[in-house]
Amino acid sequence: MGKVGVVPKPLSLPFDPIARADELWHRRWGPVPSMVAITSIMRAQQILLAEVDAVVKPYGLTFARYEALVLLTFSQAGELPMSKIGERLMVHPTSVTNTVDRLVKSGLVSKRPNPNDGRGTLASITEKGREVVDAATEDLMAMDFGLGVYDAEECAEIFALLRPLRVAAQDFEEA
């Protein structure tokens, strides 16, 4: 269980299609650096999600389910209210329910009523969930979460470059 998966790759194009789109866009509508930037970001997201999902798939996980397990391991008691999971992962409550329900079916998480909130539900990571998240994390770290083409400094630059976008979206309050 847990071998780093090989993502089937389409045939490489003899040119950079995003750079080509930028040239054509420039000719038709003028220079718009944000178009080439967003297209590159969206393509990078596709590449990274495919690579990461291939690694966690043998564990019966998607990256979204992996993130939920990691979040539960970070909590002191190994459990969090469903509403808090959605808030921290920045996803809709329906997505949290779907994610946690799949983790429950896999025996990686259990659910129970929240004693501090009569209407709420707590999700708790199981021992099997802890074992799976640890093994999947080892595999993801071994492939640098798909970012092995960048060194630590470049990864920090990417984080810093994208942070203002997240601040502007009000993901969090900047200190």
Side-chain angles (χ1 to χ4, degrees):
M1 190 181 218
K3 288 294 172 200
V4 176
V6 176
V7 178
K9 297 192 181 190
L11 296 175
S12 293
L13 295 174
F15 61 92
D16 180 346
I18 296 174
R20 176 76 52 86
D22 185 41
E23 291 169 21
L24 297 172
W25 191 283
H26 187 275
R27 278 191 232 149
R28 180 157 184 170
W29 291 296
V32 183
S34 56
M35 183 285 298
V36 74
I38 191 170
T39 306
S40 294
I41 291 168
M42 299 301 257
R43 179 62 185 133
Q45 191 267 347
Q46 291 172 334
I47 292 165
L48 293 171
L49 191 57
E51 289 183 6
V52 168
D53 274 346
V55 170
V56 298
K57 186 177 182 177
Y59 297 101
L61 299 174
T62 60
F63 192 63
R65 287 181 222 151
Y66 170 78
E67 286 182 304
L69 286 176
V70 168
L71 183 61
L72 289 171
T73 66
F74 287 165
S75 68
Q76 285 184 346
E79 64 183 10
L80 288 170
M82 298 279 281
S83 59
K84 186 69 73 179
I85 294 171
E87 180 183 299
R88 298 267 172 85
L89 296 179
M90 295 177 258
V91 297
H92 191 274
T94 305
S95 296
V96 174
T97 300
N98 183 20
T99 296
V100 170
D101 286 350
R102 288 178 184 264
L103 291 168
V104 168
K105 284 181 187 170
S106 300
L108 306 178
V109 168
S110 62
K111 288 187 344 185
R112 66 183 177 93
N114 186 344
N116 301 321
D117 174 6
R119 296 173 295 144
T121 302
L122 288 175
S124 307
I125 190 165
T126 64
E127 191 54 42
K128 179 181 175 187
R130 288 183 189 281
E131 292 168 10
V132 166
V133 77
D134 285 345
T137 298
E138 276 187 42
D139 288 350
L140 288 167
M141 288 172 54
M143 55 87 76
D144 288 324
F145 287 86
L147 293 171
V149 298
Y150 301 105
D151 64 23
E153 186 178 310
E154 289 168 321
C155 286
E157 288 175 27
I158 292 167
F159 174 77
L161 197 60
L162 295 175
R163 194 169 198 273
L165 180 68
R166 296 173 45 237
V167 170
Q170 299 177 335
D171 273 359
F172 58 95
E173 292 180 22
E174 194 166 28

